[in-house]
Every structure is written in structure tokens, then in C-alpha cells.
Amino acid sequence: MNALTRTFHRWGSPPTFYRFAGRALPWLGWPALLLLLHGLYAGLVQAPADYQQGDGFRIIYVHVPAAWLSLFIYTSMAVAGVIALVWRMKVAEVYLRDAALAGAGFTAVALASGMLWGQPMWGTWWVWDARLTSELILLFLYLGVLALDQALPEPRQAARACAILAIVGVINVPIVHYSVEWWNTLHQGSSLSRFEKPAMPASMYVPLLEVALGTMLFYGWFVLARMRGSILLRERRQSWARAVAMEGA
Amino acid sequence: MSEFLAMGGYARYVWPSIGLFVGLLLWMALSARSHHRRALTRLRSVERGAA
């Protein structure tokens, strides 16, 4: 067993992960809070109004980060699903359920804020175009994972079912991302590209990047904090979990 | 201030969007903390019951 494999299995051990997550929480939570506060302030107050969409464009400061997180979380769930099926790591199994909660929330907010943007800009709340429809399917996939987890009483059996759905459903992620290029959609193209100069000035896109990074760090904080509780419940018969509870750590 | 709140006539679209996003983050923060606290409480009650 090489060093990489040993490290991988050590982090997959519930007590090691529990302690690591506890130490990582402040390093994620405080930067997330600062970035979110500053990014939202800069986006809502300091950024100039768009020359075509006016102040209505400011919805992107919550819509785009929520949509990015909805794709990122599902992709990470598919990776966790592979780890859960191949190596049967409890940490990966716990991640699937707790990540799906946040993923469903971000997808719902991306859809709702998109509708609130669509009404004044397109003149309609909803169209069945490829981007909106594939994002709605993503929400159903998240709800499917949560429903499977609730429906099966045995945790390992539920985790296997959730892992399979996460892996199969990940095919929808590139469809959501590339739908605006593959099909003629009413939804506009990507707001920011890794390879092209941004179409908006720095005073508009820097706050967007701040909110997006802050949301990502906040998600990291959320999932680690929630997983600590879930791991304790899953490991409640183990001596380390009982010791942690009695110490109040 | 009232000009800022009016959002150039888009207030009824912008503020609900911001509210949904901030509401989700608040729910996530409260849910994560209470989930961990509930787990600790449950384990402690089991331990005390066993003792």
C-alpha cells in the first residue's frame, strides 16, 4: 500500500474525518462569511447598473453562484458514489445524503431566481428550453437521492442506491452546462468563461466571483458540519463516538 | 436609500431572489449546527441510559 492509498483510507476513517472536519470548520466559515458579505454589498450597491437590463441584472449575484453550486455538488456526489460503491467508505456514504440536501436547495434557488429574472427580461416565468428543463431534471435527481435515502431503512443499502442514482444522474451535468451551446435556447450563454475575457467590467464580475467563492466555502462549511452529526449517529455504537459525545467535542 | 431599495423598478424581482438565497444559507447554517447538537444529545442520552 503506497503513501497515497494510506492517506486516502486514513481520511476515509470516520474518527479521523470527524476530527479533521472539526478543525477545518472555522477556516471555511469565516472566509465564506466575509466573501459573501463583501461580494453581495459590492454587487448590490457598488456595481453599476447594466445598460440593457438595469438593476434587474443584480439577480445574477445569487442566481449564478447557486447554479454553479448545483452542478458542482452533483458532480462531487457522483465521485462520492464511486468511492462508496468501490471502497464502501462510510464517510462517502454520509456525504451523499448531506450534500444532496444542499444541492437540492441551491438548484431550487437557481430555478426560482432564474424565473424571477425571466419574467421582466423574457416576459415569461418559464420556458421549456434545454437549460431550464435540464436544471429542473437536476432538481428531481437531488430529490430522488433524498427520497431513496429516506425510503430504505438500512443505511448501507440506502447509500448504495443513492450512489447508483448519483453516478447515473451525473450524465445530466454536462447536459445542463452545454445546453446553451448544443441547442438554441432562450437562456443566455455562460456568464463567465475560463478561456475568454469577461464580457462585463471588473466592477461587475469581481463581486460575482466573490459571492461564488464565498458560497463554495460556505457549502464546504455546511457539509463538513452536517457530516460530523451524521457520522456520530452512524457510529453511535463505536467507542470513539461515545467518547466524543461524553466529552462534548 | 429608497432609490436603492427600488432597484430601478426591479425590486419585486431582485429582493425575492436575494431573500431566497440568503434564506437558504441561513437554513443551512442553522440546520448543520442543530444536526450536530442533536447527534451529541442523542448519544449522551444513550450513554447515560446505559450507565
Side-chain angles (χ1 to χ4, degrees), chain A residues 18 36 44 53 55-56 58-59 62 105-106 112 116 119-120 215 218 221-222 226 228-230 232 241-242 245-246 248, chain B residues 4 7-8 10 12-18 20-21 24-25 27-29 31-33 35-36 39-40 42-44 47:
Chain A
Y18 182 88
L36 283 167
L44 295 176
Q53 301 176 18
D55 286 311
R58 296 185 200 280
I59 291 174
V62 295
F106 281 120
L116 285 161
Q119 173 61 19
T215 311
F218 179 80
W221 177 89
F222 164 81
R226 207 175 150 94
R228 291 184 88 212
S230 301
L232 275 184
R242 297 205 301 261
M246 294 318 284
Chain B
F4 166 68
M7 279 285 156
Y10 290 102
R12 67 193 176 115
Y13 303 108
V14 175
W15 292 120
S17 302
I18 306 296
L20 281 172
F21 183 76
L24 173 68
L25 298 190
W27 172 81
M28 286 168 72
S31 141
R33 291 188 72 86
H35 185 59
H36 186 235
L40 284 172
R42 188 170 158 190
L43 261 72
R44 274 185 209 134
E47 274 299 293

